[in-house]
Amino acid sequence: MEKRILLSSPTMHEEELTYVKEAFDRNWIAPLGFNCDGFEDEMGAYLSGKEDKTYYTLSLCSGTSALHLAVKLAGVKRGDIVLASDMTFSATVNPISYEGGVQVFVDSERDTWNMDPESLELAFSKYPEAKVVVLAHLYGTPAKMKEITDICKKHNAVLIEDAAEALSAQYEGKMCGTFGKYNAISFNGNKIITTSGGGMLISDDEASRKKAFFWATQAREPAPWYQHEEIGYNYRMSNVVAGIGRGQLLHLEEHRDRKEAIYRRYAEGLSGLPVTMNPYLDNTKPNFWLSCLLIDEGCQVAPMDILNRLNEANVESRPIWKPMHMQPVFRGHDVVSAADKSVGEDVFARGLCLPSDIKMTEEEQQYVIDAIRSCF
Ligand SMILES: *Cc1c(COP(=O)(O)O)cnc(C)c1O
């Protein structure tokens, strides 16, 4: 294949430019502005879906900054234990360190690859002082939210949802990114919709949004001069970038449907091989951000064999997120699992993320499938 087939790259339409042009025409390039306001309102309305509930949204420069402000809002202080997803991208858990918190990692379950409720319960029995849980929905697949929210309630813990990969995914009809007290989504270049870079903080609490806005705009106190009583950050999204987001949001459902079609074609095209697709629950509607395969136990083919073969064929694939407890930077952090051996380590050892770019044609996807089949 001459053109490289990518994992997930931006897909732009017409409307993005219209909003961006308006920002230029009105010379409104600075952070804050009408596109930011519009993007926040439109996303708030989208997330509330069929619920009759208001979500307060704050557009920011990244998903990571949204997670950082979420951790601050949750009140994490130096030395506090925070229970966090083990198998995820480091950006889920790094902000805990920004505030001096200490991550205790919680293993995954096999039905969604997300945080295992039993392991979370076990972590609370080991660390009853824990008051905050940070959970990620991997690859756009909703976690077991009923069990997780029940456990958090029982232990009086604040839930932070990292829905960076899961915008538009639903659990029993409720949107991912609305389950936690504070939630984050990302518009990084590879996500289901993108602003080139950006993120959003979501909460059902207006005062929290206000506080986060204050921190994100350098913590300026209301005074005629620059007055500061707290440490602030420069985390806001620019009015230009928000314009891209408004245009992308119009195409979110279409992107989701195309991602799902890719997943279904892989499931069909790879049938008969000793592999399964990344699993999800019947009562959920994933956004299928990335299609992943899991090689059967005992099979001699390793994920890296497939990755290398695909790479030779000019196709991008990527290993599953390497669990945080295996990362040198988190050496010495505890990891809690209700299973005999780490589920995260096992999925990492046998899994692979497949190209899920929505501009990939059916012929190109067949080419990828054929290349994978040739490995077995
Ligand atoms: C992309 C991602 C983030 C970080 O978002 P940025 O906008 O890149 O800062 C956080 N968590 C997960 C799970 C992600 O995939």
Side-chain angles (χ1 to χ4, degrees):
M1 193 79 20
E2 229 166 278
K3 187 182 90 200
R4 190 164 171 81
I5 299 178
L6 297 172
L7 205 70
S8 185
S9 72
T11 302
M12 291 293 140
H13 311 272
E14 297 279 317
E15 294 91 338
E16 292 86 344
L17 260 185
T18 311
Y19 288 114
V20 169
K21 186 162 183 308
E22 194 184 347
F24 274 69
D25 290 347
R26 292 168 65 179
N27 194 32
W28 207 324
I29 308 300
L32 318 183
F34 59 91
N35 275 334
C36 294
D37 297 342
F39 192 29
E40 288 171 358
D41 291 348
E42 287 147 18
M43 187 63 80
Y46 174 79
L47 288 171
S48 79
K50 291 191 273 301
E51 284 185 280
D52 187 22
K53 195 165 175 186
T54 306
Y55 290 106
Y56 297 93
T57 48
L58 178 65
S59 51
L60 297 164
C61 62
S62 64
T64 309
S65 57
L67 284 160
H68 182 199
L69 295 178
V71 167
K72 273 181 84 74
L73 286 167
V76 173
K77 298 277 179 316
R78 192 152 295 284
D80 288 355
I81 297 281
V82 176
L83 307 180
S85 291
D86 180 38
M87 190 170 72
T88 184
F89 181 42
S90 64
T92 306
V93 303
N94 280 339
I96 298 165
S97 295
Y98 302 169
E99 292 303 309
V102 179
Q103 298 86 346
V104 166
F105 298 113
V106 180
D107 197 12
S108 296
E109 33 80 1
R110 296 200 177 272
D111 304 327
T112 74
W113 296 359
N114 293 308
M115 184 184 278
D116 173 32
E118 276 184 50
S119 299
L120 179 62
E121 191 62 86
L122 197 59
F124 271 116
S125 65
K126 208 167 163 188
Y127 299 96
E129 72 274 30
K131 282 282 156 270
V132 178
V133 172
V134 181
L135 164 140
H137 304 279
L138 288 193
Y139 305 123
T141 303
K144 296 185 171 174
M145 292 318 294
K146 166 96 178 60
E147 291 87 338
I148 300 276
T149 49
D150 283 352
I151 293 168
C152 288
K153 241 180 238 137
K154 179 174 143 197
H155 295 279
N156 216 358
V158 172
L159 175 65
I160 295 173
E161 228 187 317
D162 176 356
E165 302 176 0
L167 178 60
S168 86
Q170 299 177 16
Y171 178 96
E172 293 184 347
K174 186 172 158 65
M175 293 285 183
C176 286
T178 64
F179 285 88
K181 178 80 182 145
Y182 313 111
N183 312 295
I185 47 182
S186 165
F187 311 114
N188 189 36
N190 60 0
K191 298 300 190 319
I192 192 156
I193 60 169
T194 179
T195 60
S196 75
M200 209 174 263
L201 177 74
I202 302 141
S203 171
D204 62 2
D205 174 35
E206 191 173 12
S208 296
R209 188 214 177 264
K210 201 165 162 226
K211 187 75 201 195
F213 176 89
F214 168 78
W215 284 326
T217 49
Q218 307 285 24
R220 286 168 63 175
E221 298 292 340
W225 47 86
Y226 284 89
Q227 177 80 9
H228 301 284
E229 292 173 17
E230 287 185 66
I231 297 295
Y233 305 87
N234 182 4
Y235 275 176
R236 284 313 309 271
M237 179 180 274
S238 96
N239 197 45
V240 177
V241 157
I244 306 177
R246 295 182 79 180
Q248 286 270 286
L249 184 53
L250 299 170
H251 295 272
L252 174 55
E253 287 304 307
E254 172 195 328
H255 286 200
R256 198 213 79 90
D257 291 348
R258 285 158 74 177
K259 292 273 190 191
E260 177 165 7
I262 289 170
Y263 179 95
R264 304 260 168 249
R265 283 202 291 270
Y266 276 128
E268 198 184 323
L270 299 175
S271 66
L273 293 182
V275 303
T276 48
M277 296 298 293
N278 47 328
Y280 61 92
L281 302 174
D282 286 343
N283 59 347
T284 64
K285 198 172 160 226
N287 73 6
F288 300 98
W289 173 57
L290 290 188
S291 290
C292 309
L293 60 71
L294 186 71
I295 301 168
D296 287 357
E297 234 166 327
C299 178
Q300 290 308 306
V301 179
M304 287 310 286
D305 299 337
I306 303 176
L307 183 141
N308 290 331
R309 175 73 59 89
L310 289 176
N311 198 38
E312 282 161 23
N314 212 10
V315 175
E316 186 185 17
S317 63
R318 198 190 278 166
I320 298 293
W321 298 125
K322 183 175 179 177
M324 291 300 115
H325 81 271
M326 299 170 77
Q327 303 287 357
V329 69
F330 295 119
R331 203 181 291 117
H333 287 241
D334 197 7
V335 56
V336 180
S337 179
D340 307 338
K341 64 183 187 56
S342 166
V343 172
E345 280 183 37
D346 181 47
V347 173
F348 173 63
R350 296 194 285 125
L352 187 71
C353 301
L354 302 175
S356 308
D357 197 298
I358 58 174
K359 292 178 297 315
M360 178 168 63
T361 64
E362 288 191 35
E363 292 83 58
E364 287 169 336
Q365 191 176 354
Q366 191 55 51
Y367 172 82
V368 176
I369 289 167
D370 292 342
I372 296 170
R373 295 197 78 93
S374 75
C375 298
F376 289 89

